[in-house]
Each structure stands twice: as C-alpha cells, then as structure tokens.
Amino acid sequence: MEFLTKNDIDKCVNIIKKGDLLAFPTETVYGLGAISTSEEAFNKLVETKKRPPNKPFTLMCSSLKQVKDIIEIEPYATKLIKKYMPGPITLILKTKKSVPHYLDLGTGFVGIRIPNDEFVLKMIEKIGAPLLVPSANVSNEPPAMSDEEVYKYFGNSVEIVCGKCEKTIPSTVVKVEDGKLTILREGPISKEELLEAIK
C-alpha cells in the first residue's frame, strides 16, 4: 500500500468523492473521513470502525457557511464558533429538519468541527461538502497519532495520508441546547475558557 502525502490533495479529494475512506492528520489526532452526502460512505465508516450504529459521527466543515447548511445556530453557539473555530472544539448543535437521518440518527443533534489545519480545510473545500470524521481507531481503542498506527488498525481497508499528530488530546466537546452549555469532554479548551467566552 502506498501512503499519500499532503501534496496529493487532488487524489485525496477523489478518494473521498468516490465514497471511500481516508485517514489524515489533524491538529488533534488522526481523523478517518468519509463524505457526508453518501449513506453508503456512512455505512462503510460504521463497519470499518466497528462502531455502534446508533452513535452519530462528527461533521468536519471548512467554513461557517457549511455549518449553517446543517445546523440551527443559537447565540451561545455563535460566540463559541467565532472565538474557537477553526480550532480543537466540537460543538453538538440542533440539526435542521432537512438533514438526512443517517447524519443525526434521529437525535436531532450533530457534532460540528472546523479544524485548524490548512490541508484538511482545503481538502473539504475542494470536495464541496462536509466530511464525517471520527478519530482514526477501532471503537474503544486509543486514537491513532501516526500513519503507522492507522495502518495497524485498518491495514489496506482505508487510504492514509502520511504524517504524525503532535497533540495527544482530542477536541473539547460541548453540547449547546436552548442557551445551556454541557461539556461532554474537556480537551485543549477548558471549561473556564468556554464559560468566559459566552459571557
């Protein structure tokens, strides 16, 4: 198997547009990406990660415009997006009613992230649609931090962009519902910082 590099961005775009899976480094941990407009790609992601099929995947977007196409943005969410995106934060927000069932799995919520990584943002922009991006690991195993670790998990079943992640902490995860913030996972951005940002 041949590892791709960040110079192979057009190949990476084509892999994802075809509905295949691509693992790539982000500013937190390695992500495993699939195009969000294909239920078939969603099913492939569930099967490859051995993940419970009732748990929605985070959507990685390249811009606020892409975010607005999917979710309803309320005032607290707007403040957090402006301050921390792009960056290591995932906001779980109410979806629009038009969102396909496999994206929110009937929960009415989906996680949104805009990564602070030039290659990933450019790739999503070229694809023209958000990506479903969980961490690159088999469910209940530690997230992969390098191309070798991704290969150990998945072998030839996914394409891999070579690289290494410097930070070992996944993104902070915050749910915003009816003006209330619930921190589901504290990561690089602390609870204190979040509370300060929404004052």
Side-chain angles (χ1 to χ4, degrees), residues 144-164:
M145 301 302 296
S146 67
D147 44 41
E148 288 101 338
E149 288 179 13
V150 176
Y151 188 76
K152 276 181 192 166
Y153 280 135
F154 303 116
N156 294 324
S157 64
V158 308
E159 299 289 341
I160 304 169
V161 178
C162 63
K164 194 166 260 196

Side-chain angles (χ1 to χ4, degrees), residues 2-3 10 14 43 59-60 71 75 87 98 101 108 120 130 137 151 154 161 168 172 193:
E2 171 199 2
F3 285 109
D10 289 332
N14 289 334
N43 290 332
L59 281 168
M60 210 170 255
I71 55 98
S98 56
H101 178 266
V120 181
N137 56 290
Y151 188 76
F154 303 116
V161 178
T168 55
T172 297
E193 288 172 299

